Short mmCIF file of all heavy atoms in Angstrom, two decimals:
data_model
loop_
_atom_site.label_atom_id
_atom_site.label_comp_id
_atom_site.label_asym_id
_atom_site.label_seq_id
_atom_site.Cartn_x
_atom_site.Cartn_y
_atom_site.Cartn_z
N ARG A 36 -104.07 168.02 42.85
CA ARG A 36 -104.68 168.14 41.51
C ARG A 36 -103.60 168.18 40.43
O ARG A 36 -103.77 167.60 39.35
CB ARG A 36 -105.56 169.38 41.44
CG ARG A 36 -106.85 169.24 42.24
CD ARG A 36 -107.66 170.52 42.10
NE ARG A 36 -106.86 171.66 42.55
CZ ARG A 36 -107.12 172.39 43.61
NH1 ARG A 36 -108.18 172.16 44.34
NH2 ARG A 36 -106.35 173.40 43.95
N ASP A 37 -102.49 168.87 40.72
CA ASP A 37 -101.37 168.90 39.77
C ASP A 37 -100.83 167.50 39.53
O ASP A 37 -100.56 167.12 38.39
CB ASP A 37 -100.23 169.79 40.29
CG ASP A 37 -100.61 171.24 40.39
OD1 ASP A 37 -101.33 171.74 39.48
OD2 ASP A 37 -100.21 171.89 41.37
N VAL A 38 -100.67 166.74 40.60
CA VAL A 38 -100.16 165.38 40.47
C VAL A 38 -101.12 164.53 39.66
O VAL A 38 -100.71 163.77 38.77
CB VAL A 38 -99.89 164.76 41.86
CG1 VAL A 38 -99.55 163.29 41.75
CG2 VAL A 38 -98.80 165.52 42.59
N TYR A 39 -102.41 164.67 39.91
CA TYR A 39 -103.41 163.92 39.16
C TYR A 39 -103.30 164.23 37.66
O TYR A 39 -103.28 163.33 36.82
CB TYR A 39 -104.81 164.25 39.69
CG TYR A 39 -105.91 163.40 39.11
CD1 TYR A 39 -106.25 162.19 39.70
CD2 TYR A 39 -106.59 163.80 37.96
CE1 TYR A 39 -107.26 161.39 39.16
CE2 TYR A 39 -107.60 163.01 37.43
CZ TYR A 39 -107.92 161.81 38.04
OH TYR A 39 -108.91 161.03 37.51
N ARG A 40 -103.20 165.53 37.34
CA ARG A 40 -103.07 165.93 35.93
C ARG A 40 -101.77 165.40 35.32
O ARG A 40 -101.74 165.01 34.14
CB ARG A 40 -103.17 167.44 35.80
CG ARG A 40 -104.59 167.96 35.98
CD ARG A 40 -104.70 169.43 35.62
NE ARG A 40 -103.98 170.30 36.52
CZ ARG A 40 -104.51 170.92 37.57
NH1 ARG A 40 -105.78 170.77 37.86
NH2 ARG A 40 -103.77 171.69 38.33
N MET A 41 -100.69 165.41 36.09
CA MET A 41 -99.41 164.89 35.58
C MET A 41 -99.53 163.41 35.23
O MET A 41 -99.05 162.98 34.17
CB MET A 41 -98.31 165.07 36.62
CG MET A 41 -97.82 166.46 36.81
SD MET A 41 -96.53 166.45 38.09
CE MET A 41 -96.72 168.08 38.75
N VAL A 42 -100.15 162.65 36.12
CA VAL A 42 -100.31 161.21 35.87
C VAL A 42 -101.15 160.97 34.63
O VAL A 42 -100.81 160.14 33.78
CB VAL A 42 -100.91 160.50 37.12
CG1 VAL A 42 -101.31 159.08 36.81
CG2 VAL A 42 -99.91 160.54 38.27
N ILE A 43 -102.25 161.72 34.47
CA ILE A 43 -103.11 161.58 33.29
C ILE A 43 -102.32 161.90 32.02
O ILE A 43 -102.39 161.17 31.02
CB ILE A 43 -104.34 162.53 33.41
CG1 ILE A 43 -105.17 162.15 34.61
CG2 ILE A 43 -105.12 162.57 32.10
CD1 ILE A 43 -106.32 161.25 34.34
N ARG A 44 -101.56 162.99 32.08
CA ARG A 44 -100.79 163.41 30.90
C ARG A 44 -99.74 162.36 30.52
O ARG A 44 -99.58 162.03 29.34
CB ARG A 44 -100.12 164.77 31.18
CG ARG A 44 -99.46 165.39 29.99
CD ARG A 44 -99.00 166.83 30.23
NE ARG A 44 -98.17 166.99 31.41
CZ ARG A 44 -98.55 167.66 32.52
NH1 ARG A 44 -99.74 168.23 32.58
NH2 ARG A 44 -97.74 167.76 33.54
N ILE A 45 -99.05 161.81 31.50
CA ILE A 45 -98.03 160.80 31.23
C ILE A 45 -98.67 159.52 30.69
O ILE A 45 -98.15 158.90 29.76
CB ILE A 45 -97.20 160.52 32.51
CG1 ILE A 45 -96.36 161.75 32.84
CG2 ILE A 45 -96.33 159.28 32.34
CD1 ILE A 45 -95.75 161.72 34.24
N ALA A 46 -99.83 159.14 31.24
CA ALA A 46 -100.53 157.94 30.76
C ALA A 46 -100.97 158.12 29.31
O ALA A 46 -100.85 157.20 28.49
CB ALA A 46 -101.72 157.64 31.65
N ARG A 47 -101.45 159.29 28.97
CA ARG A 47 -101.85 159.56 27.57
C ARG A 47 -100.63 159.50 26.65
O ARG A 47 -100.70 158.92 25.56
CB ARG A 47 -102.52 160.92 27.46
CG ARG A 47 -103.94 160.91 27.92
CD ARG A 47 -104.62 162.24 27.61
NE ARG A 47 -105.92 162.28 28.26
CZ ARG A 47 -106.42 163.33 28.87
NH1 ARG A 47 -105.75 164.47 28.90
NH2 ARG A 47 -107.60 163.28 29.45
N ALA A 48 -99.53 160.11 27.08
CA ALA A 48 -98.32 160.11 26.26
C ALA A 48 -97.80 158.69 26.06
O ALA A 48 -97.21 158.38 25.01
CB ALA A 48 -97.24 160.97 26.91
N ALA A 49 -98.03 157.83 27.04
CA ALA A 49 -97.61 156.43 26.93
C ALA A 49 -98.64 155.58 26.20
O ALA A 49 -98.46 154.38 26.07
CB ALA A 49 -97.35 155.87 28.33
N ALA A 50 -99.72 156.21 25.75
CA ALA A 50 -100.80 155.54 25.02
C ALA A 50 -101.43 154.41 25.84
O ALA A 50 -101.80 153.37 25.30
CB ALA A 50 -100.31 155.01 23.67
N ILE A 51 -101.56 154.63 27.13
CA ILE A 51 -102.25 153.67 28.00
C ILE A 51 -103.75 153.88 27.79
O ILE A 51 -104.25 154.98 28.03
CB ILE A 51 -101.85 153.85 29.47
CG1 ILE A 51 -100.36 153.56 29.62
CG2 ILE A 51 -102.68 152.96 30.38
CD1 ILE A 51 -99.79 153.87 30.98
#
Side-chain angles (χ1 to χ4, degrees):
R36 288 180 303 246
D37 294 320
V38 172
Y39 188 88
R40 286 189 293 265
M41 286 179 209
V42 170
I43 298 265
R44 187 171 53 247
I45 291 167
R47 282 188 189 139
I51 297 173

